[in-house]
Amino acid sequence: MAEPTGFARTWRSRWQDWRDWRSWRARLLRKWRSSLQFRTVTITVVLSGIAIVMVGVYVSVSVGNDLFQSRLGQVELDSNRATSAAQGILDSSDAADRVQVQSLLASARSAISAASSSRLVAVFRVPGQDPSTAAPQDFSTFGDSTEVISPELRTAVQGAPGTQFWQSVALSTDDDGQVAGIVVGSQITVPVAGRYELYIGYNLGEAETTLQFVQRTLGVAGLLLIVLIGAVTWIVVRFVVTPIRVAAETSQRLASGDLGVRLPVKGDDVITTLARSFNGMADSLQSQIKELADLSEVQQRFVSDVSHELRTPLTTIRLAGDMLYDQRSGFPPATGRTAELLHAQVERFELLLADLLEISKYDAGSVELEAEPTNLVHLAADAVEGLRSLAESKGTRLNLVAPGGHLDAEVDPRRIRRIMHNLIGNAIEHGEGKPVIVSVDSNETAVALSVRDYGLGMSQVDVNHVFDRFWRADPSRKRTIGGTGLGLSISLEDATVHRGWLQVWSSPGKGSCFRLTLPRTARGEIASSPSPLPPEDAGSDGTLPRLTVGEVGRAGIKGAQHGEGAVHD
């Protein structure tokens, strides 16, 4: 395999650096979102750092200005003294020729150096004067720094005799470096030769060194102060955040069902008051939940005991009722009708008793699935055939459509058959004689059964209660198959115990569609339902208008999914 080229290695290295940076960035973001202590310390350190930097800059600028102004005042005094000393020497002389004037100017230059403590001196004859053979040549000890005497400074000095001017410059050093300096200019009068410009240079290296020392001291002190502030903030916030973190963990455990957990109570501060209040709330909550649990247990036991106790007298009543029902033809018409009513109500009472027993099992958590490989298409066909006579009496046509679902799924056939019977029976009852479509479909993870009717439909308020116990959309409506008000509640429990979904879409005057979705295996998970909800024909011409997403919410979609254990919109 060929070795990667230098270009490829460079880009690979850059890509790795980019990935590492993104990883660190993601970690910092997670830490920022999850840790109150980290956020507090970071914000404190950043704000403190900004404040320290601002103070440091201000102090540095103030010290630098003070050093410069102090040195400038000293320089102006030295320069004025040196100029006065030189002018005094020149005024006291009676030199008349070139040699005497040059000697006199050399003496003045020595006096300037002695008075100003500076070796940088430059003397230039002011231009525009009459030529003189006695006038000495210009000279300068600035060396390479002579050009720092700017034309602007020379113009100012030439135009104002008796006035002193200064300018900040950068002077060259012996090691080819540069140092801050000041050049002071004024005029002197040389006998016979005329007026000359005098420039004295002052080195500010010591002041600059002092300023750098102050800046370094401020920088080190600022860094130490930021670290100290960060450490102190971390410690203080830790003392505050730790009890809050313990309270959050305790509340999570309490919410998950561990009702015996409590916060430790230490001291008399605000955190302790919070802990006492939290523990009092937990005690009250535990007491109320225990009372509700005891009440629920009593209720469940009452329903179960009553249901069992009623079986024996109900059996006796059923035997007597059947005997009267079989002999009703020999009774007077009124007595025969009474026997028929007694027979029907006893059957309905038996159904109610069976449903109460089933609900009590779910409430007690004693339901066990008897799952086995089952073909939902066959179950649906059996349910349709069993209810066909009822459908014909209502003038309803039952249609079974099975594009999928022909492979077996691991379900409890008795419970699924009960769900189908409830859904199809309700569709016939509320279908207003219109067709009812029963469809079965499947995908990789789930199999679904949908029951679609085109009858009355339900409002959103009705949809919110459709799975409630003993609830009916229209209590005054006559039922042919006799309902107990528990059918859909039991169907929802049956679907949930299969780790499945039972959902409903409905719209007033446009019908309803109930969808049962089950995993293919007993412990499988449902990725998505193979059957659409709302149904596809909700927008076909002649039936229902097509609903947008917002309109679906108003029309009503409701159901329960495994893992939530509750109805949702």
Side-chain angles (χ1 to χ4, degrees):
M1 185 176 181
E3 291 291 332
T5 63
F7 179 79
R9 286 195 298 269
T10 300
W11 276 104
R12 184 180 299 174
S13 176
R14 291 180 179 178
W15 173 248
Q16 184 64 35
D17 293 341
W18 171 248
R19 291 183 59 186
D20 292 343
W21 160 246
R22 292 185 63 185
S23 175
W24 276 104
R25 181 183 177 186
R27 292 178 184 176
L28 287 176
L29 289 176
R30 285 196 298 270
K31 187 70 173 177
W32 176 268
R33 289 193 296 265
S34 62
S35 176
L36 175 62
Q37 187 173 2
F38 179 76
R39 289 199 303 272
T40 304
V41 172
T42 301
I43 294 173
T44 303
V45 169
V46 170
L47 295 180
S48 301
I50 293 174
I52 291 173
V53 169
M54 294 175 63
V55 172
V57 171
Y58 173 77
V59 171
S60 177
V61 172
S62 299
V63 171
N65 289 335
D66 290 343
L67 288 174
F68 180 80
Q69 294 296 330
S70 175
R71 182 58 175 156
L72 177 61
Q74 182 181 359
V75 164
E76 288 179 333
L77 289 175
D78 289 348
S79 175
N80 186 49
R81 184 171 56 250
T83 302
S84 298
Q87 190 63 54
I89 293 175
L90 295 175
D91 292 341
S92 63
S93 173
D94 55 356
D97 56 18
R98 182 182 180 87
V99 174
Q100 291 178 342
V101 171
Q102 286 183 344
S103 176
L104 179 63
L105 193 59
S107 299
R109 184 174 61 189
S110 298
I112 291 172
S113 298
S116 63
S117 301
S118 174
R119 294 182 296 106
L120 302 178
V121 179
V123 177
F124 306 112
R125 194 167 188 265
V126 176
Q129 301 181 85
D130 295 333
S132 175
T133 57
Q137 296 293 323
D138 298 342
F139 70 88
S140 173
T141 61
F142 277 81
D144 295 337
S145 299
T146 302
E147 64 272 9
V148 302
I149 303 175
S150 65
E152 293 80 5
L153 179 60
R154 293 196 62 182
T155 300
V157 172
Q158 294 168 6
T163 305
Q164 190 171 256
F165 298 91
W166 64 271
Q167 186 177 35
S168 297
V169 296
L171 301 175
S172 299
T173 60
D174 296 337
D175 56 355
D176 297 331
Q178 287 187 333
V179 66
I182 297 177
V183 174
V184 180
S186 60
Q187 285 192 20
I188 58 175
T189 302
V190 180
V192 182
R195 293 181 293 115
Y196 275 76
E197 304 168 30
L198 172 63
Y199 298 98
I200 306 174
Y202 294 90
N203 191 323
L204 299 184
E206 293 183 359
E208 187 175 6
T209 302
T210 302
L211 179 61
Q212 291 176 352
F213 173 76
V214 172
Q215 290 175 340
R216 286 195 300 270
T217 303
L218 288 175
V220 173
L223 289 176
L224 293 177
L225 185 59
I226 290 175
V227 173
L228 180 61
I229 290 174
V232 172
T233 305
W234 179 272
I235 295 174
V236 173
V237 173
R238 184 177 179 84
F239 279 114
V240 177
V241 170
T242 299
I244 297 177
R245 184 184 298 114
V246 172
E249 294 173 353
T250 303
S251 63
Q252 289 178 350
R253 292 174 58 187
L254 185 66
S256 64
D258 187 2
L259 300 179
V261 66
R262 296 293 185 271
L263 287 176
V265 179
K266 299 178 181 178
D268 295 316
D269 53 12
V270 177
I271 302 297
T272 304
T273 303
L274 174 63
R276 290 195 184 98
S277 301
F278 181 90
N279 292 342
M281 179 190 67
D283 292 338
S284 176
L285 184 63
Q286 184 179 21
S287 175
Q288 294 179 15
I289 290 178
K290 187 176 183 303
E291 291 178 2
L292 291 175
D294 294 341
L295 180 61
S296 177
E297 184 179 354
V298 170
Q299 179 184 3
Q300 294 171 13
R301 188 182 303 113
F302 173 78
V303 173
S304 179
D305 292 345
V306 168
S307 301
H308 283 88
E309 292 298 328
L310 286 177
R311 279 192 171 277
T312 300
L314 181 61
T315 303
T316 303
I317 295 172
R318 177 60 185 269
L319 291 175
D322 289 344
M323 182 180 298
L324 295 174
Y325 183 76
D326 293 339
Q327 298 178 4
R328 68 186 183 282
S329 58
F331 296 152
T335 305
R337 178 56 181 164
T338 301
E340 292 175 355
L341 292 175
L342 176 62
H343 179 76
Q345 292 302 316
V346 168
E347 286 185 342
R348 185 173 182 275
F349 189 52
E350 280 187 327
L351 291 175
L352 176 61
L353 189 60
D355 288 346
L356 286 174
L357 286 172
E358 191 67 25
I359 284 291
S360 65
K361 291 179 181 179
Y362 277 112
D363 291 339
S366 60
V367 174
E368 294 184 3
L369 282 180
E370 297 178 1
E372 60 183 57
T374 305
N375 189 302
L376 259 67
V377 176
H378 294 168
L379 282 184
D382 293 342
V384 168
E385 287 301 321
L387 293 170
R388 191 171 296 278
S389 60
L390 175 63
E392 292 175 353
S393 67
K394 291 283 189 177
T396 300
R397 186 176 73 255
L398 291 179
N399 296 323
L400 176 61
V401 180
H406 296 278
L407 296 178
D408 291 345
E410 296 181 8
V411 298
D412 188 334
R414 180 180 66 86
R415 299 183 186 279
I416 302 303
R417 189 179 293 110
R418 179 166 57 194
I419 296 176
M420 292 181 179
H421 185 275
N422 282 328
L423 297 183
I424 299 174
N426 286 338
I428 295 173
E429 287 284 344
H430 299 278
E432 298 295 307
K434 298 178 182 179
V436 173
I437 300 176
V438 180
S439 61
V440 182
D441 204 352
S442 59
N443 57 22
E444 295 180 355
T445 61
V447 58
L449 176 134
S450 297
V451 180
R452 174 79 164 98
D453 70 75
Y454 301 91
L456 295 175
M458 294 179 289
S459 65
Q460 180 63 47
V461 175
D462 292 337
V463 169
N464 290 335
H465 298 282
V466 71
F467 294 105
D468 294 349
R469 297 178 183 181
F470 299 106
W471 182 87
R472 289 183 180 180
D474 185 4
S476 63
R477 183 180 180 85
K478 180 181 179 181
R479 295 185 58 90
T480 306
I481 57 177
T484 63
L486 295 173
L488 288 178
S489 300
I490 295 175
S491 298
L492 178 62
E493 298 287 354
D494 287 338
T496 304
V497 79
H498 279 86
R499 304 168 67 89
W501 307 341
L502 181 57
Q503 299 165 296
V504 57
W505 166 89
S506 188
S507 183
K510 300 174 183 179
S512 304
C513 182
F514 283 81
R515 181 180 68 183
L516 171 67
T517 307
L518 301 170
R520 283 187 172 276
T521 59
R523 296 187 177 276
E525 296 290 340
I526 302 173
S528 62
S529 179
S531 180
L533 197 70
E536 293 179 349
D537 64 352
S540 61
D541 294 338
T543 53
L544 300 177
R546 186 168 184 79
L547 299 178
T548 63
V549 174
E551 292 170 337
V552 168
R554 289 191 292 272
I557 294 181
K558 185 172 183 177
Q561 297 184 5
H562 171 73
E564 299 178 2
V567 175
H568 75 281
D569 291 339

